[in-house]
Amino acid sequence: MKSILLLGAGRSANVLIKYLEEECGRAGMQYTVADQSMQLIDQKTARLQAGTGLQVEVSDKEKLNELVASHRLVISLLPPTMHVEVAKICLEHKKHLVTASYISEEMRKLDAEAKSKGLLFLNECGLDPGIDHMSAMEMIDEIRAEGGQIHTFKSWCGGLVAPESDDNPWGYKISWNPWNVVQAGKGISRFREGGKLRLLPYHQLFRHAEPVVIPDQNLQLEGYANRDSLVYDAVYGLENAKTIIRGTLRKQGYCKAWSVLVQLGLTDDTLPVEVNAGTCWPEWLKTFLPGKQDVKMAVRELLPEMDDATMSRLDWMGLFDEQNKIEKGGTLVAAAVLQQLMEKKWLLKQSDKDMVVMLHEFGYTTLKGENMQLTASLLVMGDDNEQTAMAKTVGLPLGIAAMNILNGNILENGVSLPAKQSIYEPLLYELTKHGIVFLKTPSTQ
Amino acid sequence: MKSILLLGAGRSANVLIKYLEEECGRAGMQYTVADQSMQLIDQKTARLQAGTGLQVEVSDKEKLNELVASHRLVISLLPPTMHVEVAKICLEHKKHLVTASYISEEMRKLDAEAKSKGLLFLNECGLDPGIDHMSAMEMIDEIRAEGGQIHTFKSWCGGLVAPESDDNPWGYKISWNPWNVVQAGKGISRFREGGKLRLLPYHQLFRHAEPVVIPDQNLQLEGYANRDSLVYDAVYGLENAKTIIRGTLRKQGYCKAWSVLVQLGLTDDTLPVEVNAGTCWPEWLKTFLPGKQDVKMAVRELLPEMDDATMSRLDWMGLFDEQNKIEKGGTLVAAAVLQQLMEKKWLLKQSDKDMVVMLHEFGYTTLKGENMQLTASLLVMGDDNEQTAMAKTVGLPLGIAAMNILNGNILENGVSLPAKQSIYEPLLYELTKHGIVFLKTPSTQ
């Protein structure tokens, strides 16, 4: 019986595989890395000693069952929609499961059966969701243990480019799924501010970013509310907090420029249309600007807050450059055309380093009635474009959770996330050994 | 065996019931009007002679089967999602069906079976879709019969308020389903202009309305592209036309003001939130304006094209009036809150008259190479807030189609729409007798 089955060897698996190789090797355990892509398996598992790489079609249910049956625990980095199917196979063979994805309704329904079989299906155990839950809940539990009443909670996270590799006016390169970058913020965002419900539709969201300061760091960042912040009311027990915002970080100026792309409709994913390869970008922009001749002028008139810095970001992106062509044509949604451009312009080059930034801001009242502020910040740098900060902060919590479940340090069961002390404590402790350490800054307001 | 079963006795049925009463009465035929609402049946069928009113739960499949079996033809004014179920019952009992709704994919799948049974399922047979198909295709067929090549087709339609009842700065009152008014234009709109594909996302759509002139009428209108105009390429055989736009008409200035509501997020229908009855509108607006104190100022800054006329329309709507309260609270999407306000402010009062406007604009080249322009316009006035222009133009085509199918004037079968001469010709001919007459204006360009 091998120890761990890792499903998925993509971008997020790089550091996780390195961790499993070291930890399993040390413990004399064997593990398996399975992926659909032979290329990924060749590239990432050829030199492993404790681990074995395996090309597997995820549609091959028989093979998947066989694999799950021959391991003690499964880590799934497959697309979120596939987790429930994997979870059901885990139920059948009585195996634990760890994922970095949000708990879906279907996953939640497996709770009773997982509990009755003594299995832990630990989800939301990557960066965001993941490290955010662990670190926020640790601080919330600390504040509460001293009788503090939390009235404000703001939690920010961003996968950015490290300052030393930051050579474009957006201050951004892509360190994770580029489709998610293009689709970020879709829907209507909900949060609470000063006791009042706030709603921001997608096309307004990026116009309302707020400046965010990371203590002791020379980083000019800004944040926008990320979808429904109020689901954290219940998860963190913050129903009575007057302000609760959970948001995404970008370098200052990014959001205003991105809001122009959103306003234009370039991120639409609802209607596939015929796109010709070789069409230049100004021509493609005209599709979204009826009756206008001068594309640059028309874009400048889109929003009242348009300024030269924003226009220069759009310029750098090549939106007005007739030499900048759409490379792949076909029947595409606008967002897929934009993604091509982003992947080219925001490429994380081999020597580039990415950066993960997380910040929690708490406001609370002590037992004595003092108004206190507490911030906790995390800064993680990537080594290069393989061992990225993103791969570290997504992969390490998964690997550490897996090892701690197998060695009996975590004894929970059911469908869960790392918000309980019994789960987050051993995980945060191990994460510090890998340089994932929060800087806490308390202050009287 | 009775002749016609009309399912649905709502707003759109008023004129249709009057028509059926006259026509069936004259022909010695009997018909039935069925609706879920006893109140509607009491109100609309008590004095009928040829017709009988019947309260029926549409969920009562047995009753519905029995009803369909005892009639020769069904007209469905039920919500579009229910048509397919009705159509299947029609297949079982071998009955014709007429609706005013777009043909859904599921409806299309019934084509072969309807054909094999010699049944006609005639959809898109109201105003828009309906009269637009008939009148446009008649003109297209005429132009083609003379060898003309159509390069431009613009088709506009609007349900508006008649000038004599127009007493608000939006020039609008609600003569049809108010939810559809609030949801108008959702998605991304697609059309072709000068040979070029155009895409307008929802939040841009109302910023790009174009002026529309109705020949010989003193009406200052504007139009916006309504969803996917290019589906009419195939329906009308206009794949080679350089310009094809199918749009919605409003009074000039409406669209710019409506675009502010869209930008704010007031039309969102994705996330239900808790809304307290009695909340005043400026307070509700603050939900959509984070960090802003002066609501009016913040709204003024939303769009570069904001002007006093637009602000005065918003003012008239009561957006900035603290005495203007949300009446019904609960767990509501923003669009439902806005609908309450619209129903109050844009109420079509008893003596008010509505107006339906339709305009087709064709550009074509004759066999001799002349460039010609041809417009056809329709103006229909309501009598009051019951016998509306909307009820006339939706109901009469349905009733006329039903009678013509039953008397053998229309002999088609399968799932169809009124774009074929054999269908539109008898319908347009009968419609002229009810004052639904297009004014055609040819001219050399």
Side-chain angles (χ1 to χ4, degrees):
Chain A
M1 173 88 43
K2 293 185 177 182
S3 59
I4 294 168
L5 171 64
L6 169 58
L7 297 173
R11 217 184 284 243
S12 302
N14 294 347
V15 175
L16 175 54
I17 293 172
K18 197 168 156 227
Y19 173 86
L20 292 178
E21 182 66 13
E22 282 167 15
E23 293 299 316
C24 291
R26 187 177 304 157
M29 292 155 69
Q30 289 189 304
Y31 69 98
T32 305
V33 181
D35 198 284
Q36 292 209 120
S37 155
M38 197 62 231
Q39 195 193 341
L40 279 180
I41 290 300
D42 278 347
Q43 188 184 322
K44 298 192 178 181
T45 66
R47 294 186 211 162
L48 299 182
Q49 308 221 319
T52 312
L54 199 67
Q55 191 274 333
V56 175
E57 298 296 324
V58 286
S59 56
D60 184 345
K61 300 296 163 260
E62 203 176 320
K63 185 72 196 164
L64 205 57
N65 262 279
E66 195 183 296
L67 266 176
V68 170
S70 60
H71 290 79
R72 294 174 60 202
L73 180 148
V74 179
I75 301 175
S76 174
L77 281 175
L78 298 177
T81 50
M82 304 185 65
H83 290 329
V84 170
E85 199 172 323
V86 173
K88 285 179 179 168
I89 299 176
C90 287
L91 281 175
E92 193 180 331
H93 300 287
K94 296 194 180 170
K95 308 295 175 181
H96 301 294
L97 173 66
V98 184
T99 85
S101 304
Y102 288 102
I103 298 175
S104 63
E105 275 312 303
E106 289 71 38
M107 181 65 85
R108 203 180 302 278
K109 284 181 193 153
L110 306 180
D111 182 56
E113 193 177 345
K115 276 197 177 119
S116 75
K117 293 185 171 170
L119 300 175
L120 175 57
F121 289 179
L122 184 60
N123 299 274
E124 308 195 15
C125 195
L127 166 61
D128 169 23
I131 293 176
D132 56 347
H133 291 324
M134 306 174 203
S135 51
M137 280 310 301
E138 184 184 49
M139 298 181 72
I140 291 171
D141 286 343
E142 278 171 21
I143 292 169
R144 284 189 182 139
E146 291 176 13
Q149 290 275 353
I150 296 167
H151 56 73
T152 298
F153 174 59
K154 296 185 179 188
S155 178
W156 307 104
C157 186
L160 304 166
V161 62
E164 62 196 276
S165 304
D166 180 1
D167 53 14
N168 77 57
W170 293 72
Y172 193 76
K173 297 190 181 185
I174 294 176
S175 59
W176 59 307
N177 187 338
W179 178 249
N180 290 353
V181 174
V182 176
Q183 293 300 95
K186 287 267 170 104
I188 192 164
S189 286
R190 176 163 75 152
F191 54 102
R192 202 161 54 238
E193 206 174 23
K196 201 163 156 34
L197 172 71
R198 299 290 189 183
L199 295 170
L200 276 180
Y202 175 57
H203 57 271
Q204 286 297 320
L205 185 62
F206 295 95
R207 298 177 71 178
H208 290 279
E210 60 172 274
V212 174
V213 175
I214 311 295
D216 298 330
Q217 297 293 336
N218 182 25
L219 293 170
Q220 305 295 315
L221 303 182
E222 60 189 15
Y224 62 88
N226 188 357
R227 309 197 189 216
D228 192 357
S229 298
L230 301 193
V231 299
Y232 295 88
D233 273 5
V235 177
Y236 296 170
L238 290 175
E239 293 88 343
N240 295 323
K242 288 203 180 301
T243 295
I244 180 162
I245 300 178
R246 195 163 170 282
T248 298
L249 291 174
R250 291 290 180 262
K251 193 113 172 272
Q252 260 183 35
Y254 176 105
C255 291
K256 203 191 270 191
W258 187 259
S259 76
V260 176
L261 308 185
V262 171
Q263 285 288 333
L264 280 165
L266 298 180
T267 62
D268 177 75
D269 66 336
T270 61
L271 186 74
V273 296
E274 283 310 305
V275 180
N276 296 322
T279 304
C280 74
W281 262 87
E283 197 57 33
W284 177 240
L285 280 197
K286 280 186 189 168
T287 309
F288 300 87
L289 294 163
K292 302 277 186 174
Q293 291 311 306
D294 185 331
V295 172
K296 206 162 180 173
M297 180 92 77
V299 168
R300 191 177 275 282
E301 287 168 359
L302 263 189
L303 295 171
E305 64 267 27
M306 188 69 75
D307 53 27
D308 290 345
T310 300
M311 286 303 288
S312 77
R313 287 187 180 94
L314 302 174
D315 235 338
W316 177 88
M317 195 56 89
L319 296 191
F320 313 118
D321 177 4
E322 293 187 358
Q323 300 312 311
N324 183 23
K325 315 276 191 187
I326 295 171
E327 283 169 17
K328 286 177 232 157
T331 304
L332 301 173
V333 293
V337 177
L338 186 62
Q339 185 185 334
Q340 289 182 32
L341 182 64
M342 298 300 143
E343 290 196 64
K344 184 169 68 176
K345 291 287 181 171
W346 284 342
L347 178 72
L348 195 69
K349 292 191 288 280
Q350 209 205 319
S351 62
D352 275 344
K353 293 178 180 170
D354 73 324
M355 170 174 75
V356 160
V357 184
M358 188 177 284
L359 176 72
H360 302 305
E361 301 177 282
F362 293 95
Y364 64 99
T365 316
T366 64
L367 269 182
K368 293 177 188 164
E370 285 171 306
N371 213 357
M372 299 293 287
Q373 205 172 7
L374 181 62
T375 65
S377 60
L378 171 71
L379 210 67
V380 180
M381 298 293 169
D383 303 332
D384 52 40
N385 75 344
E386 292 285 332
Q387 304 291 307
T388 60
M390 187 58 81
K392 291 180 188 180
T393 51
V394 172
L396 289 170
L398 290 169
I400 292 171
M403 294 305 283
N404 275 273
I405 294 167
L406 289 181
N407 70 19
N409 270 348
I410 292 175
L411 290 166
E412 299 290 329
N413 54 40
V415 173
S416 193
L417 53 79
K420 281 169 111 167
Q421 193 175 2
S422 55
I423 300 178
Y424 70 66
E425 204 166 57
L427 297 189
L428 286 173
Y429 175 76
E430 283 298 318
L431 284 169
T432 60
K433 296 185 188 166
H434 295 268
I436 297 179
V437 184
F438 280 81
L439 172 74
K440 297 184 189 176
T441 317
S443 68
T444 315
Q445 254 182 340
Chain B
M1 174 86 45
K2 293 186 176 181
S3 60
I4 295 169
L5 171 64
L6 169 60
L7 297 173
R11 218 185 285 242
S12 302
N14 294 346
V15 175
L16 175 54
I17 293 172
K18 198 167 156 228
Y19 172 86
L20 292 177
E21 182 66 12
E22 282 168 14
E23 294 299 315
C24 292
R26 187 177 304 158
M29 293 156 69
Q30 289 190 304
Y31 69 98
T32 305
V33 182
D35 197 285
Q36 290 209 120
S37 156
M38 197 62 230
Q39 196 193 339
L40 279 181
I41 291 299
D42 278 347
Q43 190 184 318
K44 298 193 178 180
T45 67
R47 293 187 210 160
L48 299 182
Q49 307 222 316
T52 313
L54 198 67
Q55 191 275 334
V56 175
E57 298 297 325
V58 286
S59 55
D60 184 345
K61 299 296 163 260
E62 204 177 321
K63 185 70 195 164
L64 205 56
N65 263 280
E66 196 182 296
L67 265 177
V68 170
S70 61
H71 290 78
R72 294 174 59 202
L73 179 148
V74 179
I75 301 174
S76 175
L77 282 174
L78 297 176
T81 50
M82 304 186 66
H83 290 329
V84 170
E85 200 173 322
V86 173
K88 286 179 178 168
I89 299 176
C90 287
L91 281 176
E92 194 181 330
H93 300 288
K94 298 194 180 170
K95 307 295 175 182
H96 302 292
L97 173 66
V98 184
T99 85
S101 303
Y102 288 101
I103 297 175
S104 64
E105 275 312 302
E106 290 71 36
M107 181 66 83
R108 204 179 302 278
K109 284 180 193 153
L110 306 180
D111 181 57
E113 194 176 345
K115 275 197 179 120
S116 75
K117 293 184 171 172
L119 300 174
L120 175 58
F121 289 181
L122 184 60
N123 299 274
E124 310 196 15
C125 195
L127 167 62
D128 169 22
I131 293 176
D132 55 349
H133 291 323
M134 305 173 205
S135 51
M137 280 310 301
E138 184 185 48
M139 297 181 72
I140 291 171
D141 286 342
E142 278 172 19
I143 292 170
R144 285 189 182 141
E146 292 176 13
Q149 290 275 352
I150 296 167
H151 56 74
T152 299
F153 174 58
K154 298 186 178 187
S155 177
W156 307 103
C157 185
L160 304 166
V161 63
E164 62 194 276
S165 303
D166 180 1
D167 54 13
N168 79 56
W170 293 72
Y172 193 76
K173 297 189 181 185
I174 294 176
S175 59
W176 58 306
N177 187 337
W179 177 250
N180 290 354
V181 174
V182 175
Q183 294 299 97
K186 287 267 172 104
I188 193 165
S189 286
R190 175 162 75 151
F191 53 101
R192 200 162 56 241
E193 207 174 21
K196 202 164 155 33
L197 173 71
R198 300 291 190 182
L199 295 170
L200 276 180
Y202 176 56
H203 56 272
Q204 286 298 321
L205 184 62
F206 295 95
R207 299 177 70 180
H208 291 278
E210 59 173 275
V212 174
V213 175
I214 310 294
D216 297 330
Q217 296 293 334
N218 182 26
L219 292 169
Q220 305 294 314
L221 303 181
E222 60 189 14
Y224 62 88
N226 188 359
R227 309 197 190 215
D228 192 357
S229 299
L230 301 193
V231 298
Y232 294 88
D233 273 4
V235 176
Y236 295 171
L238 291 174
E239 293 89 344
N240 295 322
K242 288 203 179 302
T243 295
I244 180 163
I245 300 178
R246 196 163 169 282
T248 298
L249 292 174
R250 291 290 180 262
K251 193 116 171 268
Q252 259 184 34
Y254 176 105
C255 291
K256 202 191 267 190
W258 187 260
S259 77
V260 176
L261 308 184
V262 171
Q263 285 288 333
L264 280 164
L266 298 179
T267 62
D268 177 77
D269 65 337
T270 63
L271 185 74
V273 298
E274 283 308 307
V275 180
N276 295 322
T279 305
C280 73
W281 262 87
E283 197 58 32
W284 177 239
L285 279 197
K286 280 185 189 167
T287 308
F288 299 86
L289 294 163
K292 303 276 185 171
Q293 292 311 306
D294 184 331
V295 173
K296 207 163 179 173
M297 181 93 74
V299 169
R300 192 177 273 282
E301 288 167 357
L302 263 189
L303 294 171
E305 64 268 27
M306 188 69 75
D307 54 27
D308 289 346
T310 301
M311 286 303 287
S312 77
R313 287 188 180 93
L314 302 173
D315 234 339
W316 177 88
M317 194 58 89
L319 296 190
F320 313 118
D321 176 5
E322 293 188 357
Q323 300 311 310
N324 182 21
K325 314 278 192 188
I326 294 170
E327 283 169 17
K328 286 177 232 155
T331 304
L332 301 175
V333 293
V337 177
L338 185 61
Q339 185 186 334
Q340 289 182 33
L341 182 63
M342 297 301 143
E343 289 196 65
K344 186 168 67 176
K345 291 286 181 173
W346 285 342
L347 178 71
L348 195 70
K349 293 193 288 282
Q350 209 204 318
S351 61
D352 276 343
K353 292 178 180 170
D354 73 325
M355 169 175 74
V356 159
V357 184
M358 187 177 284
L359 176 73
H360 301 305
E361 301 176 284
F362 292 94
Y364 64 99
T365 315
T366 64
L367 269 183
K368 293 179 190 165
E370 286 172 306
N371 213 356
M372 299 293 287
Q373 205 171 9
L374 181 62
T375 65
S377 60
L378 172 71
L379 209 67
V380 180
M381 297 293 169
D383 303 332
D384 53 40
N385 75 344
E386 292 285 333
Q387 304 292 307
T388 60
M390 188 57 83
K392 291 179 190 182
T393 51
V394 172
L396 288 171
L398 290 169
I400 292 170
M403 293 306 284
N404 276 274
I405 294 167
L406 289 182
N407 68 21
N409 270 347
I410 293 176
L411 289 166
E412 300 289 330
N413 54 40
V415 173
S416 193
L417 52 79
K420 282 169 111 164
Q421 193 176 2
S422 55
I423 300 178
Y424 70 66
E425 203 167 57
L427 297 188
L428 286 173
Y429 175 76
E430 283 298 318
L431 284 168
T432 60
K433 297 186 188 167
H434 295 269
I436 297 178
V437 184
F438 280 80
L439 172 74
K440 298 184 188 175
T441 317
S443 65
T444 315
Q445 253 183 344

